[in-house]
Amino acid sequence: MLEPAAPLPLLQPRDDLDRTPPALLDLHLPAALEAVFALRPDLAAVSLGGALPAGSALLAGGIALQPAGQPATVSRELFWQWDRLWLTDRRDPPPSQYVFSKDGRRHPRRPPKPVGTVYRRHIPWLDQAFSLRAMDVERDLATVNRWMNEPAVAHFWQETGDLEHHRRYLAGVAADPHTIGLIGCLDERPFCYVEAYWAKEDRIAPFYDAADHDRGWHVLVGEPALRGRPFLTAWMPGVSHYLFLDDCRTQRLVIEPRIDNRRMIRSLHRCGYASLKEIQFPHKRAVLGLLMRERFFDDALWIPRPDDDVDAHAPASSGHSLAVPQS
C-alpha cells in the first residue's frame, strides 16, 4: 500500500517490515518499488515506514538509506541505478588493467562480450517489455540485412548490400573488442539494432576528452511500424539506462548523429542529451551529443517528457520524432 504522508509518501507491506520474512522482503519489495516509481513518476522518494532487516538486499546494495533510529527510505535516483533489477547478464566490473588498441590508444582492458539477453524493462505506456540481447551473426543476419536495405535506414547508414556484405559487416562488429552489437526487442519482437562502443578506443575520442569508461552508441530502427514517439521514449532511455548500468564507472554517454538528421537530434534532446558542438569525420559532419549519468538518474530521464520540455536550442522538426538510424 502507498499512503500519503509527510515528509515522504509511505510504502507499507501488508505486515510490518519487522514481521515480513527477509527472503520475501528481498523478492517483493523491489518489485513494489519498481511499480511505484513507474506508476507515480512524480515521486522522488518513498519511506518504508520502519527499519529494514540488517541483511536486506536494499541496504546492502546502498539503495535504501536508514539513518539510526529512523525509517528506511528509498530514492528514485538510487533505485534506478540498482543493476540487479534490469540487467539479466549482471557482472561485476573487471579489475583495471591498461592495454593499447591497434592504433596505439591506451585504455582499460574491456570485459568479455555478453551473450544472450542483457537488459529487460517493462514499459508502462506500451504495456510491453523492452529488451536488449547480444547480436548473433547467423541468427540476426537476415533481419539486419532487411533493415539496412530499408530506404530510411539506408539514407543515414549507407550500408546497403546483400547477405554476404552484412555477414562481413556483423562479423567485424563481433570481432571488434570495443564494440557490442545489440538487438532491441519489444515483447521479444526485434525492431532495432544498436552498436554500443567504448569511446576511448573509438573515432570519436579525438574530438573530446574521452574518459576511460565513457560509452557511445549508434542505432537503427528497422521496423517502420515501431517508429514514433511512444516507442522512442521506451528504447532510447532504455539504451542509455543499460549502458549506465553495465558499468557503474560510466559517467558519460556520447553520440554523433549526422548533422542533417534533425529528427534524431531533437529526439536526443528530448531524452536528455546535450549538443556540444559540430565535428567533422571523413565520411560525415556530425553533432557531438553527451548525456551525464548524474542528469539521467537525478532528472529521471527514462520518464517521457512533454514536447515543451525539449531544450529550446534543439533543431526544429515537424511531426513526431521518427528516430531513424544515425551512424
Side-chain angles (χ1 to χ4, degrees), residues 73-148:
T73 62
V74 178
S75 75
R76 181 181 61 194
E77 179 183 4
L78 288 176
F79 183 75
W80 279 81
Q81 294 183 72
W82 202 21
D83 57 8
R84 61 172 275 179
L85 290 183
W86 296 282
L87 292 192
T88 56
D89 183 39
R90 181 182 177 275
R91 298 171 294 175
D92 291 329
S96 289
Q97 181 186 34
Y98 282 85
V99 295
F100 289 90
S101 62
K102 290 182 179 179
D103 58 358
R105 298 178 189 176
R106 182 175 181 269
H107 61 87
R109 184 183 297 278
R110 303 306 181 187
K113 295 195 181 189
V115 176
T117 299
V118 296
Y119 175 89
R120 180 178 285 109
R121 179 167 70 93
H122 182 258
I123 308 299
W125 57 93
L126 297 177
D127 195 22
Q128 297 182 68
F130 170 70
S131 62
L132 292 166
R133 61 172 172 80
M135 178 269 296
D136 179 281
V137 175
E138 293 305 319
R139 175 183 179 182
D140 298 311
L141 175 60
T143 300
V144 174
N145 170 257
R146 175 170 60 84
W147 288 347
M148 289 283 195

Side-chain angles (χ1 to χ4, degrees), residues 29-67:
L29 186 53
L33 285 163
E34 181 179 5
V36 164
F37 287 129
L39 297 172
R40 289 288 306 276
D42 57 304
L43 296 182
V46 295
S47 171
L48 302 183
L52 285 169
S56 161
L58 284 161
L59 284 177
I63 307 304
L65 305 179
Q66 188 167 278

